[in-house]
Amino acid sequence: MAESAESFDLITMGRIGVDLYPLESGLPLAQVETFGKFLGGSAANVAVAAARLGRTTAVITRTGDDPFGAYLHEALKDFGVDDRWVTPVAAYPTPVTFCEIFPPDDFPLYFYRQPKAPDLEIHSDELDHGAIRSARVFWITGTGLCEEPSRSATLTALEARDKAGTTVFDLDWRPMFWADPDQARPYYAEALRHATVAVGNLDECEVATGVREPRACAEALLAAGVELAVVKQGPKGVLAVHRDGTEAEVPPVPVEVANGLGAGDAFGGSLVHGLLSGWDLAETMRYANAAGALVASRLACSSAMPTGSEVEDLLARAS
């Protein structure tokens, strides 16, 4: 791709698709009759979340050359996310993802990404290295490492980035995309060497580091090369530890959960916003937690991403 002169606050790279979510809660898919259609995929959702907070964002990904692909372009533009690096793949359909909704904590996902997802067809020679280097934050995901050519493209992007600005590795472990965790570990280790921030829940941290206790996870991620380790602990909140010794452990913001999917992406977009705003670690974590809680209290992922005033209102009520 041609080198880009424009600089973004955030460029994400990875998964995109169409989420088809039941409009009825507490029913198995076999009994659901009505669904809502939403933009989905973690990389796309993080870009949407940051855009909602006023950040300039873009996503590097691929869709099918089909009506769902056209829908995703329109949705990205509607959310204010630049879609210039979202290109079609004629050979594969745009993925769809279904979920079941059993609040407060059971939201099974069903990925339809066969025979292959277009977002795994990102090629190294198509990357805009100038744009990747100049973005204030560059965000990659574990799913992008699961298959070629996306794996090589993701690692090439990280090398081109060369730790410029803030480079976030969202550990994003999806076991159905890998043969086994041992296959993933060397690629996760390579990505961690190029990242400045790692974000993941305990399952994801265990895949990346081999340990599961939160503080041990954080220390292992720092030892692997990052400057900031963010370990999400579910109902126990979030632990963030910086290489300089700064740390913050923040409890979750209590809400009535409607759909827990997407909360992590809202957290991610808000983490980016806090890092770019220069906030201290505790303030950034409180804000990101509140954004995640707001999305958990809503049905959708992308269209549920909160504005800054909504996050601040929830924080004010919670305090």
Side-chain angles (χ1 to χ4, degrees):
M1 287 186 183
E3 299 277 310
S4 171
E6 184 178 354
S7 181
F8 289 90
D9 288 330
L10 170 67
I11 295 177
T12 66
M13 179 174 174
R15 199 166 69 246
I16 196 170
V18 176
D19 286 347
L20 293 172
Y21 284 180
L23 299 181
E24 303 146 90
S25 185
L27 287 178
L29 273 182
Q31 296 174 24
V32 173
E33 294 186 356
T34 54
F35 295 85
K37 175 169 108 279
F38 306 98
L39 168 79
S42 58
N45 279 338
V46 169
V48 169
R52 277 279 169 94
L53 299 172
R55 298 296 175 178
T56 56
T57 71
V59 59
I60 300 168
T61 190
R62 305 195 74 183
T63 69
D65 189 7
D66 54 26
F68 274 154
Y71 160 71
L72 292 173
H73 277 277
E74 290 306 312
L76 286 169
K77 288 186 277 198
D78 286 347
F79 287 127
V81 177
D82 194 297
D83 67 341
R84 71 182 69 181
W85 297 301
V86 182
T87 56
V89 179
Y92 302 122
T94 299
V96 296
T97 303
F98 292 88
C99 80
E100 293 176 314
I101 299 178
F102 299 108
D105 59 3
D106 187 19
F107 307 99
L109 279 169
Y110 302 89
F111 291 98
Y112 289 77
R113 290 168 59 86
Q114 301 301 329
K116 187 177 187 180
D119 57 54
L120 295 173
E121 280 290 307
I122 301 171
H123 292 261
S124 299
D125 60 1
E126 296 171 343
L127 297 173
D128 184 335
H129 290 194
I132 289 167
R133 269 194 301 272
S134 65
R136 296 177 70 192
V137 180
F138 181 56
W139 179 289
I140 64 113
T141 74
T143 294
L145 299 171
C146 75
E147 274 193 60
E148 293 290 4
S150 170
R151 176 187 299 146
S152 292
T154 301
L155 295 174
T156 297
L158 287 173
E159 288 172 17
R161 176 80 175 162
D162 195 26
K163 290 199 175 187
T166 299
T167 303
V168 184
F169 180 17
D170 173 3
L171 301 178
D172 180 44
W173 170 248
R174 301 289 180 180
M176 65 285 293
F177 300 162
W178 296 83
D180 65 68
D182 290 337
Q183 182 192 13
R185 284 199 177 101
Y187 302 117
Y188 273 56
E190 177 68 15
L192 285 167
R193 280 199 290 276
H194 295 284
T196 62
V197 180
V199 184
N201 61 30
L202 292 176
D203 289 340
E204 292 166 336
C205 290
E206 186 175 16
V207 168
T209 67
V211 295
R212 189 170 179 88
E213 191 276 324
R215 185 161 297 278
C217 287
E219 289 170 359
L221 290 168
L222 294 175
V226 302
E227 294 167 21
L228 174 63
V230 180
V231 182
K232 296 185 280 192
Q233 306 174 75
K236 291 186 176 177
V238 63
L239 170 67
V241 182
H242 196 280
R243 183 181 295 284
D244 67 8
T246 311
E247 59 180 74
E249 190 154 19
V250 179
V253 179
V255 292
E256 185 171 341
V257 174
N259 182 358
L261 302 172
D265 299 331
F267 181 98
S270 299
L271 169 65
V272 168
H273 181 59
L275 293 172
L276 290 174
S277 300
W279 298 342
D280 67 39
L281 199 52
E283 181 180 6
T284 299
M285 292 304 125
R286 280 195 295 270
Y287 192 95
N289 256 1
L294 278 170
V295 172
S297 72
R298 301 167 174 177
L299 170 68
C301 288
S302 53
S303 59
M305 296 299 171
T307 63
S309 59
E310 289 175 320
V311 179
E312 285 150 21
D313 287 349
L314 178 60
L315 283 169
R317 291 201 305 274
S319 64

